[in-house]
Amino acid sequence: MLERLNLRRRLLLFFAAVAVGGSAAIGLGAWVAQRHMAEGAAGGAFVQAALIGIFGLLAVVVWVWLLFDEHVGRALIRLAAGLRSQAHAEAAGRFDAAPGRYLGDLGPAASALCERLAATRAELGEAVARETGRLQSEKDRLETLLSDVPAGVLICSTKHHLVFYNGPAADLLGAAVGPGLSRNVFDYLRDAPLRHAHERLTAGGDAEAVSDLTVATADGARILSGRMRLLDGEAGGYVLTLRDVTADLAAHAGQDRLLQEVFDRIRRPAANLLSVTGVLAEDRDNAALGQALADEAGALARSVRDLAERYEVSRGNWAALPATRSADLLDGCKARLLAGGIDLAAAPGEELILRCDGFEIVALVCAVARRLAASGDAGAFTLGVSGEAAGALVELGWQGRPLAIGRLESWLSEPVDPAMPDLTGRGVLATHATECWPEPAEGGGRLRLPIRSARAAGRHVPAIRRRVVYDFDLLFKSGDAALADTPLDDLVYVVFDSETTGLLPDEGDELCQIAGLRLVNGRRVAGEVFDTLVNPGRPIPPRATEVHGITDAMVADAPPVAEAVTRFGDFAQGAVLIAHNAPFDMAFLRRQAAVTGIAFDNPVLDTVLLSAVVYGRTETHSLDALTARLGVTIPEEARHTALGDTIATADAFLRLLPMLKARGLVTFGDVLTEVRKHGRLLADLNA
């Protein structure tokens, strides 16, 4: 019956209860006083009556206040929090009007408003989706093109913070946890070459200028050749393209060392030979000198032979030869010979990727085939490519007379193509550090040409990560404000969660899983995720396995606690940490400080306290309750997994952010001041 009364009448009932209760208390006091007066105790009767009236009135007021607080005050707070969720967190379809059941039409009116808001959002969303579909399609095509660029590409702000990187760049930087948006590029590359190149470009004032540079990764494991160009526009920043030249530099260094050794090893025998021959010219009958001459000549010959063999082995590493598919090489030979009226049957075989200049090899093979056909000694040509050890073997076969070695040698001294008179067959072989030779074959002959490096197509191919990560709004972030004055949207967050062997880190319980993800510019960054099982160094109790599903067998090969915590510390460097019931997780991380050297002194936000700021302390603030209020769904299979709970916490935080800003909590300092008022809540939770 009360729920059918309007709000004004319900408020009237509260005051009527005060009036009736107060009157009853006074009446009771008067009745007691009258009884005592009849018995002749007038003075005590009046005092007793006054006390009964006062305490009775106080009891009535407290009782009415409790009713008013429960059915009006708290109900209004809950309705306001629900409306704020609808307005800012977009928890469509989840507005709960039940707290307003005693507030008359306010609950239904709020429900109707939320339903209309949800419908309007849906209509607006459809319109925006239609209008942005074409732009999204173009954006996806552009991302696909950029992801296929084989060079590493970075875009950095004027503060040298990353705002763009592609898959090859992530591979080149070589960091254990990978690059991250808004992180300093000097965390991955030595700073001096980049600073000098940037200073040269900014001092020159030419927007079209580029600066070539060579830079090492921060760990010194790789040497990268790069090119820097400034970005146009007021945002500033620069584009950096990178290529790994570590192997090239090593090959050239090996070439220099070999040449130095050539001179050192030949110089002494040559000097000795010169001395011996001088003495021998004066004394032709001295047998000892003849033997010495023979020994020195033999030593010199052996040195020359040894050095020549090493030169043949290593010289192929000095030329940057492209990758050529065996099928393309066969097809190129067939097309070129067919154009000259020579039929060639290509023998299909295993698809190989050859490290060779396909044009030069095709030109050499076709030159030999054309000369054989022109001589009239050969016909019915076949060509095949087969794998051989770490390389491959190109084999040209024919019916007719075998080819003499001397004849082949004369052909190799001639140009392989009239259009390129400087390119001889011998030059092609020298470029590829190989030789070719003729052999007799059944019914004819064949020419064999080894390729030193080859691999099977489709296997052992280094994968190019087809993705690009970027947020160009970061170009406009100054990042100069103190932490307390920094707007919430300008901070970088790492949301994390852990699973453990138990709840008591001080009594030996340890981590068995850590997961985290980065939030930059108010959004989750795809690919910037940390997730690892951890070997706790102790058995995982069955009761813990029942919660998170992690067994001893699953963590047997996982990194130990110190290593996993160190890697997570690198991942979270410079970010604000966010967790649900953060003191619990932080205790497990900080107890490793003596081993890892990482203090985890990052600023920390707790979504339990943020929930209390938005919804009030009297609500339930578990992760399940918070995500349910905000419309965040946690798949059952992901609940109580570190990564699943991390994603849920991150989504909840992103929906709490606009609600905090709507309450006037705009900067990190504003939020920190507010959450400190609810610190007792965590103490009660972890008690």
Side-chain angles (χ1 to χ4, degrees):
M1 182 180 295
L2 287 175
E3 294 183 9
R4 291 199 294 270
L5 296 176
N6 63 35
L7 180 59
R8 295 181 63 195
R9 291 181 179 177
R10 289 195 183 92
L11 292 176
L12 177 61
L13 286 178
F14 282 111
F15 289 99
V18 173
V20 171
S23 300
I26 294 172
L28 178 62
W31 179 77
V32 171
Q34 184 180 10
R35 292 261 328 250
H36 281 280
M37 289 177 66
E39 296 173 358
F46 280 112
V47 172
Q48 203 169 20
L51 290 174
I52 291 174
I54 290 170
F55 284 108
L57 183 59
L58 286 175
V60 170
V61 170
V62 170
W63 174 66
V64 172
W65 175 80
L66 289 174
L67 290 175
F68 191 88
D69 180 62
E70 177 64 28
H71 298 298
V72 177
R74 293 189 181 186
L76 288 173
I77 290 174
R78 289 169 181 157
L79 287 177
L83 288 171
R84 191 172 288 111
S85 297
Q86 293 289 319
H88 302 290
E90 300 185 9
R94 294 182 179 268
F95 179 74
D96 183 12
R101 60 184 178 275
Y102 297 120
L103 297 178
D105 196 42
L106 182 59
S111 294
L113 179 63
C114 291
E115 290 175 3
R116 182 56 189 161
L117 178 61
T120 302
R121 279 178 174 156
E123 295 172 1
L124 180 61
E126 291 176 2
V128 170
R130 287 194 300 269
E131 294 299 324
T132 59
R134 180 180 59 83
L135 294 177
Q136 183 63 42
S137 177
E138 292 182 357
K139 174 176 171 288
D140 292 342
R141 284 196 292 269
L142 178 60
E143 288 185 2
T144 300
L145 290 173
L146 288 174
S147 67
D148 278 336
V149 173
V153 180
L154 303 174
I155 298 180
C156 302
S157 68
T158 54
K159 301 290 184 181
H160 305 286
H161 291 169
L162 292 174
V163 301
F164 174 101
Y165 62 86
N166 62 355
D171 294 332
L172 288 175
L173 296 183
V177 296
L181 289 182
S182 196
R183 293 195 67 166
N184 199 307
V185 71
F186 302 146
D187 292 342
Y188 311 99
L189 300 174
R190 299 291 177 88
D191 62 332
L194 299 184
R195 290 187 187 277
H196 293 161
H198 189 249
E199 290 170 0
R200 287 195 300 271
L201 291 174
T202 52
D206 184 359
E208 298 299 322
V210 296
S211 179
D212 293 320
L213 57 96
T214 300
V215 61
T217 54
D219 58 7
R222 294 182 177 180
I223 305 297
L224 307 178
S225 175
R227 171 168 289 193
M228 182 184 293
R229 181 191 295 273
L230 295 179
L231 288 174
D232 295 333
E234 60 182 84
Y238 56 88
V239 181
L240 186 64
T241 56
L242 299 170
R243 183 174 64 87
D244 190 353
V245 295
T246 308
D248 295 343
L249 293 177
H252 286 296
Q255 180 185 22
D256 291 339
R257 287 193 298 271
L258 181 58
L259 289 176
Q260 182 64 43
E261 187 177 350
V262 167
F263 293 131
D264 290 343
R265 291 178 61 178
I266 291 179
R267 185 180 295 114
R268 184 185 59 80
N272 291 340
L273 278 176
L274 183 61
S275 300
V276 170
T277 53
V279 175
L280 190 62
E282 299 175 359
D283 186 1
R284 297 180 179 273
D285 297 328
N286 194 324
L289 286 177
Q291 185 61 44
L293 179 61
D295 292 343
E296 291 297 336
L300 181 59
R302 288 191 297 273
S303 293
V304 171
R305 183 172 61 253
D306 176 58
L307 293 170
E309 290 174 355
R310 290 170 56 188
Y311 175 79
E312 290 297 325
V313 170
S314 63
R315 65 175 176 166
N317 296 327
W318 305 337
L321 296 173
T324 304
R325 285 187 172 269
S326 58
D328 295 340
L329 189 144
L330 294 175
D331 187 67
C333 290
K334 186 173 182 178
R336 177 172 288 201
L337 291 177
L338 187 61
I342 302 173
D343 191 19
L344 175 71
E350 182 184 11
E351 183 77 4
L352 299 174
I353 303 296
L354 314 176
R355 184 64 64 181
C356 67
D357 187 323
F359 174 82
E360 291 190 0
I361 296 297
V362 167
L364 174 59
V365 171
C366 291
V368 173
R370 281 197 303 268
R371 288 185 170 91
L372 283 169
S375 68
D377 294 334
F381 291 94
T382 60
L383 183 65
V385 180
S386 58
E388 184 179 77
L393 184 65
V394 179
E395 190 170 279
L396 175 68
W398 63 87
Q399 295 294 316
R401 294 173 57 187
L403 178 61
I405 293 179
R407 196 174 189 187
L408 175 62
E409 288 294 329
S410 66
W411 289 352
L412 292 177
S413 301
E414 300 174 4
V416 296
D417 192 318
M420 293 180 293
D422 295 332
L423 181 63
T424 65
R426 184 58 62 191
V428 173
L429 297 176
T431 299
H432 293 79
T434 188
E435 293 289 343
C436 66
W437 63 89
E439 290 181 354
E442 185 177 355
R446 61 186 177 187
L447 177 74
R448 311 193 88 183
L449 171 61
I451 302 296
R452 297 180 63 249
S453 176
R455 57 175 170 79
R459 293 186 299 172
H460 311 298
V461 181
I464 295 178
R465 288 190 271 181
R466 291 176 55 91
R467 66 183 180 93
V468 293
V469 181
Y470 62 92
D471 189 335
F472 293 120
D473 288 340
L474 296 174
L475 288 169
F476 301 93
K477 303 286 186 181
S478 64
D480 295 329
L483 177 63
D485 299 326
T486 303
L488 294 174
D489 287 339
D490 289 354
L491 292 169
V492 175
Y493 304 94
V494 167
V495 187
F496 77 102
D497 186 60
S498 63
E499 301 296 339
T500 64
T501 61
L503 305 178
L504 303 173
D506 293 334
E507 297 184 16
D509 283 322
E510 281 291 1
L511 297 163
C512 56
Q513 187 180 23
I514 310 175
L517 56 84
R518 285 167 52 85
L519 304 179
V520 179
N521 211 20
R523 70 180 181 90
R524 271 200 280 151
V525 183
E528 295 187 9
V529 177
F530 182 93
D531 184 21
T532 182
L533 290 171
V534 183
N535 189 333
R538 54 160 292 176
I540 300 175
R543 65 181 182 276
T545 300
E546 290 176 4
V547 175
H548 49 56
I550 301 173
T551 65
D552 291 329
M554 294 169 62
V555 300
D557 298 325
V561 176
E563 179 184 340
V565 170
T566 300
R567 288 171 52 199
F568 178 73
D570 293 338
F571 179 79
Q573 183 181 1
V576 176
L577 294 177
I578 297 176
H580 197 79
N581 190 16
F584 174 79
D585 299 284
M586 294 301 298
F588 282 92
L589 296 177
R590 285 172 174 160
R591 70 192 300 264
Q592 297 293 324
V595 179
T596 64
I598 302 175
F600 283 101
D601 53 0
N602 308 54
V604 180
L605 288 178
D606 195 313
T607 47
V608 172
L609 299 181
L610 296 178
S611 176
V613 169
V614 172
Y615 293 106
R617 291 188 60 178
T618 58
E619 292 293 334
T620 303
H621 300 294
S622 66
L623 184 59
D624 288 320
L626 177 60
T627 53
R629 281 196 295 268
L630 293 171
V632 175
T633 301
I634 308 177
E636 188 60 33
E637 64 275 11
R639 186 67 177 100
H640 292 301
T641 66
L643 185 57
D645 287 354
T646 295
I647 293 173
T649 304
D651 289 345
F653 174 74
L654 291 175
R655 296 195 178 193
L656 286 171
L657 265 181
M659 300 169 69
L660 293 169
K661 290 187 287 186
R663 292 174 60 94
L665 307 177
V666 178
T667 66
F668 183 79
D670 295 336
V671 172
L672 200 60
T673 300
E674 194 67 22
V675 298
R676 283 172 177 164
K677 300 176 183 178
H678 302 274
R680 183 62 188 170
L681 186 64
L682 287 177
D684 296 339
L685 188 64
N686 293 302

